[in-house]
Amino acid sequence: MNFRQRRPREEPEINFVPLIDVLLVILIFLMATTTYSRFAELKINLPTAEAEKTVATPKTIQIAISASGQYSINEQLVTFGSPDDFAVQLRRAAGTEQDPMIVINADGQASHQSVVNVMEAARLAGYAKLTFATQTTGGK
């Protein structure tokens, strides 16, 4: 039997002073070796013009497409069998204008195919300027 008295066990102690010293040295090292880069910017002065601007607006052809698939050119109801027929009607509406602006006013419920038909007819007619009309929400 072992009747010796045991010494009270000491609780382990963590010494934070060396840890703080090491972290401070790492921090100083990082601050000394960091390079600060600046973003390159071009400082330019744009030229100004004092002349009045002349706005040459091309003739516009308003094409409306209803939700049921009806078409109108400049507020006149039209019917056609193929995009070729519609291209002829577009040329007739353009008159002597070489490259008019075609504004497509399609209903939100109109099918995609009806809009594609108008785009195809404009391509067949040789008109490259197409735009879509949108409706803005009130209050903004």
Side-chain angles (χ1 to χ4, degrees):
M1 297 182 84
N2 192 1
F3 291 110
R4 283 193 238 165
Q5 287 185 345
R6 290 187 176 185
R7 284 197 271 159
R9 195 168 205 201
E10 292 183 22
E11 291 292 322
E13 181 179 308
I14 298 175
N15 193 355
F16 284 105
V17 174
L19 178 66
I20 293 172
D21 289 343
V22 169
L23 290 177
L24 187 62
V25 170
I26 290 173
L27 182 66
I28 292 171
F29 176 75
L30 288 176
M31 288 175 35
T33 59
T34 301
T35 58
Y36 298 99
S37 63
R38 293 184 183 174
F39 295 103
E41 292 181 15
L42 294 177
K43 296 185 182 199
I44 57 173
N45 292 322
L46 296 175
T48 58
E50 299 296 326
E52 291 183 28
K53 297 178 182 176
T54 58
V55 179
T57 57
K59 180 179 179 180
T60 60
I61 299 174
Q62 299 286 334
I63 299 175
I65 305 170
S66 70
S68 62
Q70 295 176 326
Y71 297 88
S72 70
I73 298 176
N74 292 333
E75 298 181 3
Q76 293 181 354
L77 196 62
V78 294
T79 58
F80 62 93
S82 69
D84 291 323
D85 297 339
F86 196 67
V88 171
Q89 293 181 10
L90 283 177
R91 284 191 201 102
R92 190 176 307 134
T96 59
E97 185 73 25
Q98 293 295 323
D99 195 16
M101 174 73 69
I102 297 178
V103 180
I104 301 173
N105 298 296
D107 187 274
Q109 302 299 318
S111 68
H112 287 103
Q113 185 60 49
S114 58
V115 176
V116 171
N117 287 340
V118 172
M119 294 170 64
E120 177 67 13
R123 184 190 67 80
L124 291 173
Y127 302 143
K129 295 179 183 175
L130 285 170
T131 186
F132 294 93
T134 60
Q135 181 177 354
T136 59
T137 58
K140 290 190 178 182

